[in-house]
Each structure stands twice: as structure tokens, then as C-alpha cells.
Amino acid sequence: MTEILEPAVPADAPPPKKRRRWGRMVLYILATLGVLAIALVVAIAVKASKEPPLVKIDEAASIDESMTRNYGKYSAEKKGWVYVDESNEPFLVRVVQQARIEAVGASDELYFVTSGSSLGASGRNFFGVFQIRSDGKGGDGLVEISDPHRYGSAVPVTPERVRFEALSESGWAWVVKVQSGVDPKQERVEVSNVMLAPHGDNIALLASFKASADAEAGDCLQANIDHASWIKQVAHYESLPEDAPSEEVAAGEALSEHEPLRCEHARWTYGTAAVVGAQPGPLTVTAKGTQYAAPLEARTWKIMFDNKAFVYNVPPELTVE
């Protein structure tokens, strides 16, 4: 039988080449990246499940609940909430401003202002400011930060008397125009800007400064003369000795309570700074108009915010009298 012979391999032939494993390495890398991607998705899902849900506020329901709790029942006939204060005086209360703040990645915040008008003969009025936000406990609970009864306005607060201002990236404030006096022919009518904002668990008074002043005194030059005479008389009574007759003391007190009018038609307009950070920027206030029969000095103030005290440093010349 014939033998099968293997072909002879030359002694100087190179060794056989090993197979490349690059393909296998690529598969290993792709598999590793896939595992990492899955782990990342799982981690994101776990983190999201642990974070509290973002709260979305139902404006109508939240306002109705808050108004009923603070002011009483809603009257369909009067189209408002009927509130009776501590002196048993009835008021009709309505919402005159509302805004819901919807921020990306944050729960809603609801802001609104109420106005209460007397239903009695006193003519008193009040307003209230409210913020409703998440209670921060991880559920859908809400908390109310409010000041429901701020008295002191001679006329009701109406929508045009309220401005809602952005002061910082996360801070908002109300500016409510509050009026003293009604008829400029009978008394000095002064309007002030009252700036309020939520701060922690309270409503903070950020500033109170002049907005306008009006008085009609007929002959303005004669009114100045009469006012100067009145100042001299008041000074005389203030200098009376302690044992002065009671009639003179009473006359002096009556005189000091009836300051004669001088002509006024003054305006102080304000502006807020552009929102550029976490802290409120300055306010600018500019004066114009006439006062005491002469043009009001043209001037602009820059009012800085004191973050530590959480107030604006209003100068004395802008302080409400």
C-alpha cells in the first residue's frame, strides 16, 4: 500500500500567523458601554422616584378655599365674600389681582391681592396679600403665607392700584397704592406705594414711599401766606407755659389739627431694576409736578435694598408724611 506523505515544510519557513482579536475587543467595549448606559438610566429613575413631585396649583380652588377660611362665605348676590371684622363691621371682599408662577423644575406659586370695602357707614377699607406654595414636605400639600387685613386706605384698592413686580430671579413683590384723603378741595390727598413680599413664613414690608400728593387751595400764593401765618400761631401755642389757661391750650390743639391747604399736584414715579440675580436690585424714583405754587425740584433717587434687613432704604424726603 502506498503511504501518504505530508508535504515537507522548509526549515526556513516563518511561523504561522495568530488570528487577530480586534473584533472581539470591539464587542467587549460595546457591551461595557451598554451596561453603563443601562446603569445610568436606572440611577436617574431611582433618583427621580426619591425626589418630591412638583406641585401644580388649581387657582380657582385654592383661592376659594383661602378666601372662605379668612373672610367667610361667598355671596352670589353681592359677588364677593362677606367678612365681619372684630368691631362687627361688615365688608365685601373681592380678589383684585392674581398670578400663578410656573417655573421649570419647580412647584407652582400662587399670588393674589384682596380688597375689602365697608358695607357700613364708616367708609373704612382694607386689603390683603396672599402667597400659596408647596409645603415642601414631599407631597401635594400647600401652605399659605398671608397678611389678610391691612387697614388705612381712604378708598378701596382696585386692580389698577396694584402692581406685581419681579425683584429677583425667585422673588416677587406687590406694590399697592394706598390713599389718605378723598377730596383735594377739602383736604390733602396723598397716595403712597406700599411694597410687600413673602419672606420666610411672613409677609415683609419692603418699602413705603410717596406716589402722589394733591390739594386745591384756590389762590395758591395767598394759600402760602395763610400757611406761614398758621405756622407762627402754632409755634406761639407750643411755647405756652405749663400753667397756661386751659382755653388757650385747647385753642392751640384745635389750631394744630387744622393745617391750611397749599396748592399741590406732585407725582413720584418709580421703576424696578432688571432682574439679574438672586438679590433684589435698586428702585429708582423720579419727582415731577408742582408743589406750593412752584415747580417741584426735578430729582431722581436710587433706593438700594438691604438684604440683611430685607428692606429698601427709603430716604426721609420720600417717606410718607
Side-chain angles (χ1 to χ4, degrees), residues 217-279:
D219 187 329
C220 296
L221 295 179
Q222 182 61 46
N224 288 344
I225 296 172
D226 295 340
H227 191 270
S229 175
W230 174 82
I231 290 178
K232 291 181 179 180
Q233 294 179 61
V234 170
H236 165 72
Y237 283 109
E238 288 179 346
S239 64
L240 289 175
E242 293 184 2
D243 58 349
S246 58
E247 294 81 4
E248 285 196 69
V249 173
E253 292 176 351
L255 181 69
S256 63
E257 293 176 358
H258 295 85
E259 181 178 359
L261 292 178
R262 287 180 291 174
C263 297
E264 285 188 85
H265 185 70
R267 297 292 180 269
W268 292 266
T269 57
Y270 81 92
T272 57
V275 174
V276 294
Q279 305 301 330

Side-chain angles (χ1 to χ4, degrees), residues 35-60:
V35 172
L36 291 175
I38 294 173
L40 179 60
V41 171
V42 172
I44 293 174
V46 171
K47 181 180 179 182
S49 66
K50 293 181 179 180
E51 292 180 347
L54 300 181
V55 177
K56 297 300 178 183
I57 296 177
D58 183 326
E59 283 186 68

Side-chain angles (χ1 to χ4, degrees), residues 155-170:
V155 298
V157 171
T158 52
E160 60 270 16
R161 289 175 174 262
V162 179
R163 289 180 63 176
F164 189 53
E165 304 279 13
L167 300 182
S168 66
E169 291 177 344
S170 58

